[in-house]
Structures are given as C-alpha cells and as structure tokens.
Amino acid sequence: MISICIPLFKSSFLHNTLESLCFQKFTSFEVIIVNDGDSIDYSNILKNFTNLNIKYIIQKNKGAGAARNTAFKASKGDYIKFLDADDLLNENHLMKQIQ
C-alpha cells in the first residue's frame, strides 16, 4: 500500500488533485491530508471523494514541512508518496512508481 501525504493550505486545486487519484490504475493507497491551519472549509470537496480512503487531519499552522511530517506519522503504507494539493497524476503514475 502507498500512503499519499498531502499538506494543505489555501489550495483551490484540491478537487483536481483528488480527482486525479480516482483514476489511478494502482488502487492500493490511502490519502492523508493535513490542513495546516487553513481557515477554508474543505468538507464540500472531501465529501465528493468517499471512494478514496482519506484521512483528514487539522493542525495549527506550522508550515508545509510540519504538515508533511504529521501526514507521515499518520501513514500506514509500505511506501510514501508526498504530493502537493495542486499536483495532478496521470492514471499510470502510481503503478509505474510501484514497479
């Protein structure tokens, strides 16, 4: 399993990032999103992705590095993939990385 760790702060592209994960051919992954003190309510976006195994953590603003560390500590996967909240992956990305 892959743990996909996403720090989140002021992102208007989170929906697109999560949508790109929905189309992955490799499906054994969890998504850990760490809201790093952002006041934006992302629940409307997250509720559209119940098919993804998402763990959502909210912490006080400590910076992207600290948010990545929080996500890493919460991860359960054999492999870690760090992803920003504005990154898009093509459908074969995780499959090729795992190979």
Side-chain angles (χ1 to χ4, degrees), residues 1-2 21 23-29 91 94-95 98:
M1 182 173 72
I2 300 173
L21 293 176
F23 296 110
Q24 292 300 302
K25 289 185 178 176
F26 184 85
T27 59
S28 180
F29 63 87
E91 63 188 15
L94 295 178
M95 181 77 74
I98 211 72

Side-chain angles (χ1 to χ4, degrees), residues 45-98:
I45 294 171
L46 296 177
K47 73 179 181 183
N48 293 314
F49 296 97
T50 56
N51 58 323
L52 294 177
N53 180 14
I54 296 177
K55 188 181 302 181
Y56 185 59
I57 301 169
I58 300 172
Q59 70 179 23
K60 290 183 181 182
N61 184 262
K62 299 177 185 176
R68 285 183 184 93
N69 287 338
T70 299
F72 176 76
K73 289 175 188 170
S75 68
K76 303 270 190 254
D78 301 308
Y79 301 97
I80 304 296
K81 169 80 177 161
F82 290 105
L83 195 66
D84 287 329
D86 61 353
D87 289 344
L88 302 176
L89 302 180
N90 74 39
E91 63 188 15
N92 295 310
H93 186 93
L94 295 178
M95 181 77 74
K96 287 183 178 183
Q97 278 200 311
I98 211 72

